[in-house]
Amino acid sequence: MAKKRLNLEYPLKGRQPDLLWQLMSTDHGLERWLADQVVEDDGVMSLTWGSPFGAHHTLRANIVERRKNSHIRFQWVDEEDQNAFWEMRIGQSELTQDLCLLVVDYAVEEDIDDLHELWDGNIERLHQSSGY
């Protein structure tokens, strides 16, 4: 089944792209807001939600493209749709000069609303953990 593209833009309070880049492109940064445990090994991120010693769910994503202070693109290891990926890109408001996080993700039609809510929750954790 073909997946739909979801484009999201989240305004952020900070103006330092270096810090935002660390939060979105490193295993330690992603652990602060995206998953409970993140391990990068040779271009593959393993993301775990829940306790690694109890009930948990782990997904692995290949890092397809990474450009410092710009964007990072992933594709799930078991993704069947070769055109589907998820990406986080640093943007900037022309009006305020504040940073924004641009997210691209893909899901089947019936899961788009849930995916949007998932990203909203992730961004809320980003705000709480970093002040962005």
Side-chain angles (χ1 to χ4, degrees):
M1 182 179 291
K3 293 186 174 183
K4 277 188 68 174
R5 181 178 172 132
L6 177 65
N7 295 300
L8 302 168
E9 182 175 336
Y10 295 99
L12 302 173
K13 296 175 182 144
R15 292 186 178 177
Q16 298 176 345
D18 288 339
L19 177 58
L20 179 57
W21 176 249
Q22 292 300 313
L23 290 167
M24 62 188 251
S25 67
T26 66
D27 45 7
H28 298 295
L30 291 169
E31 279 183 355
R32 292 185 61 185
W33 66 281
L34 192 69
D36 296 314
Q37 182 181 23
V38 181
V39 176
E40 181 179 358
D41 183 27
D42 198 27
V44 177
M45 291 276 194
S46 296
L47 299 101
T48 301
W49 294 268
S51 169
F53 305 107
H56 67 277
H57 181 69
T58 300
L59 293 174
R60 294 169 23 101
N62 293 310
I63 300 172
V64 177
E65 187 174 325
R66 180 177 3 203
R67 184 161 299 137
K68 186 176 182 183
N69 292 340
S70 174
H71 66 276
I72 186 163
R73 181 179 289 187
F74 301 92
Q75 187 173 49
W76 297 116
V77 168
D78 60 354
E79 179 62 63
E80 294 177 12
D81 183 344
Q82 292 303 310
N83 296 317
F85 59 89
W86 56 287
E87 178 180 271
M88 295 178 287
R89 184 174 294 273
I90 298 173
Q92 189 171 28
S93 167
E94 291 180 20
L95 182 63
T96 65
Q97 300 305 307
D98 287 338
L99 297 178
C100 59
L101 184 62
L102 308 168
V103 175
V104 174
D105 207 342
Y106 285 81
V108 293
E109 177 74 39
E110 57 268 13
D111 292 340
I112 286 289
D113 289 340
D114 291 338
L115 184 60
H116 193 163
E117 287 180 27
L118 178 69
W119 276 108
D120 288 350
N122 289 336
I123 299 303
E124 181 61 32
R125 282 188 298 285
L126 175 65
H127 291 313
Q128 292 172 354
S129 71
S130 70
Y132 266 88

